[in-house]
Amino acid sequence: MAKINFGGVEENVVTREEFPLEKAREVLKEETIAVIGYGVQGPGQSLNLRDNGFRVIVGQRKGSKSWDKAVEDGWVPGETLFEIEEAAERGTIIQYLLSDAGQIAVWPTIKKHLTPGKALYFSHGFGITYKERTGIIPPADVDVILIAPKGSGTSLRRMFLQGRGLNSSYAVFQDATGRAMERVIALGIGVGSGYLFETDFQREVYSDLTGERGTLMGAIQGIFAAQYDTLRAHGHTPSEAFNETIEELTQSLMPLVAENGMDWMYANCSTTAQRGALDWWKRFRDATKPVFEELYESVRSGNEAQISIDSNSKPDYRTKLNEELREMRESEMWQAGAVVRKLRPENN
């Protein structure tokens, strides 16, 4: 573990050079990793662990679409693919990767198989941080740890197959065995992390919920819609509005920001673009900062967690979700996007 200076603030990070895959395999050589859930994070993490040489099994409800997907991915029923309860019983490390609502529903089943010395692993701090609301309170004689990849399970898997790594945060909530830290670092390396940075369960969920509602999804969709609608209202065509709002950002500029930073991108665009961006970015910051403060307080107070728990537990949740997604998908902006994507050279 090394201390790295980030703009004057020291943080604990772990790289693959100082904790290589061989060391991770040695730490976990006697462990059976049971990945519970095969939805968002389950496939990427389990497949990466399997390909990296760890003993992995998957727990999923038989007869579900996710069960069928696991079979397609090479997990063998009765050998490496089991019903959730049997996988939890077999595993010495239980990777609890169901949705937040799913974790609440299945918790009684998982808890009875958390025998002394096992490890309970999360990729999101929600269940533990809001334990008074979720009811997820682990026994005192198991390790409780977290690896949270900073991206989707699909991205984690894709980058792994490209020989790259997706950065992840790590945390230890409870160290019952004295091995929680080496277990969590080994798992972080095993799932294909680029580097690992330290957090705790509360900070992870506060930053994650803020990010999802903010620049990762909610705020960016809102900004996209505001600019697109403004351009359309002033006579610009759907193609022009989409290209200037989204296509240029995602296909050209964001990869450059990822590689070199925003300052580099500013320095390598036209002087007209530089001047305008420098003049306007602080106005956007000042306009949105109050909204982000309101959002963070809603996360910190537990209000966002309760909204999620209440809505996700309703029997018609999936129907309403699909309707909201349909509304977005069928908006002119994203219909234009579908056409633009088909026109990309790689699709012709």
Side-chain angles (χ1 to χ4, degrees):
M1 187 180 302
K3 288 204 177 283
I4 304 296
N5 190 299
F6 291 90
V9 178
E10 282 195 339
E11 295 187 37
N12 291 325
V13 303
V14 180
T15 67
R16 293 192 283 191
E17 287 70 30
E18 64 177 298
F19 203 109
L21 183 58
E22 294 74 18
K23 182 176 180 179
R25 290 196 195 104
E26 179 64 24
V27 169
L28 301 179
K29 65 181 179 180
E30 303 298 329
E31 306 271 17
T32 296
I33 304 165
V35 177
I36 307 300
Y38 209 74
V40 177
Q41 283 289 336
Q45 293 200 33
S46 61
L47 291 170
N48 289 0
L49 284 164
R50 184 179 72 181
D51 290 354
N52 272 334
F54 297 89
R55 187 186 301 121
V56 187
I57 61 175
V58 171
Q60 182 58 43
R61 183 169 55 83
K62 192 172 185 179
S64 66
K65 291 181 180 179
S66 294
W67 176 281
D68 295 339
K69 183 179 188 308
V71 172
E72 290 174 8
D73 287 344
W75 302 100
V76 181
E79 295 181 15
T80 55
L81 177 61
F82 303 93
E83 290 274 6
I84 288 174
E85 183 159 5
E86 185 172 357
E89 183 179 9
R90 289 171 175 263
T92 59
I93 296 172
I94 298 175
Q95 290 196 332
Y96 206 24
L97 300 183
L98 295 169
S99 68
D100 295 326
Q103 288 183 15
I104 295 170
V106 177
W107 176 243
T109 298
I110 298 298
K111 185 176 181 180
K112 66 183 179 181
H113 294 294
L114 286 172
T115 51
K118 286 193 176 186
L120 179 62
Y121 166 115
F122 295 86
S123 283
H124 189 25
F126 190 99
I128 294 294
T129 299
Y130 303 114
K131 56 185 180 294
E132 291 79 9
R133 301 170 188 263
T134 65
I136 298 176
I137 302 174
D141 51 11
V142 301
D143 293 341
V144 182
I145 56 181
L146 174 143
I147 292 291
K150 297 300 106 180
S152 69
T154 301
S155 298
L156 182 73
R157 181 62 176 165
R158 182 180 297 145
M159 293 175 73
F160 175 85
L161 293 174
Q162 294 171 347
R164 303 161 61 204
L166 185 65
N167 298 334
S168 302
S169 58
Y170 71 92
V172 173
F173 178 77
Q174 185 168 281
D175 183 5
T177 66
R179 297 182 56 237
M181 185 60 74
E182 68 173 7
R183 275 171 140 178
V184 75
I185 298 300
L187 287 161
I189 298 300
V191 300
S193 302
Y195 78 87
L196 300 164
F197 61 95
E198 189 173 27
T199 188
D200 59 42
F201 275 63
Q202 184 183 87
R203 287 183 5 234
E204 191 284 329
V205 75
Y206 285 8
S207 60
D208 190 70
L209 293 185
T210 300
E212 290 168 349
R213 287 149 180 76
T215 59
L216 301 180
M217 294 172 69
I220 199 69
Q221 165 64 13
I223 290 171
F224 283 164
Q227 179 170 306
Y228 180 91
D229 290 349
T230 298
L231 291 173
R232 290 289 288 125
H234 289 277
H236 297 271
T237 66
S239 177
E240 185 170 53
F242 186 87
N243 274 280
E244 292 293 349
T245 300
I246 298 170
E247 188 75 353
E248 184 175 357
L249 173 70
T250 58
Q251 299 302 299
S252 174
L253 302 184
M254 280 298 103
L256 295 177
V257 174
E259 291 172 15
N260 303 297
M262 185 66 81
D263 58 323
W264 184 94
M265 194 188 78
Y266 272 43
N268 286 273
C269 64
S270 72
T271 54
T272 301
Q274 283 176 2
R275 184 68 268 141
L278 288 168
D279 287 346
W280 278 88
W281 82 263
K282 291 181 182 178
R283 294 182 65 177
F284 280 107
R285 177 198 62 190
D286 294 345
T288 58
K289 184 65 158 51
V291 181
F292 278 98
E293 290 289 354
E294 181 182 353
L295 166 58
Y296 193 86
E297 177 55 28
S298 187
V299 170
R300 190 196 63 76
S301 69
N303 183 54
E304 292 299 309
Q306 195 61 53
I307 290 171
S308 296
I309 292 169
D310 291 344
S311 64
N312 295 351
S313 61
K314 291 179 179 177
D316 62 348
Y317 165 71
R318 185 62 58 180
T319 300
K320 290 184 176 179
L321 171 66
N322 288 336
E323 179 60 26
E324 290 181 279
L325 294 177
R326 185 191 64 79
E327 179 185 357
M328 184 185 299
R329 182 174 60 252
E330 294 182 0
S331 68
E332 185 190 270
M333 181 172 71
W334 290 113
Q335 287 295 300
V339 175
V340 169
R341 289 193 293 275
K342 289 179 182 177
L343 292 172
R344 290 176 187 163
E346 66 267 23
N347 294 326
N348 289 286

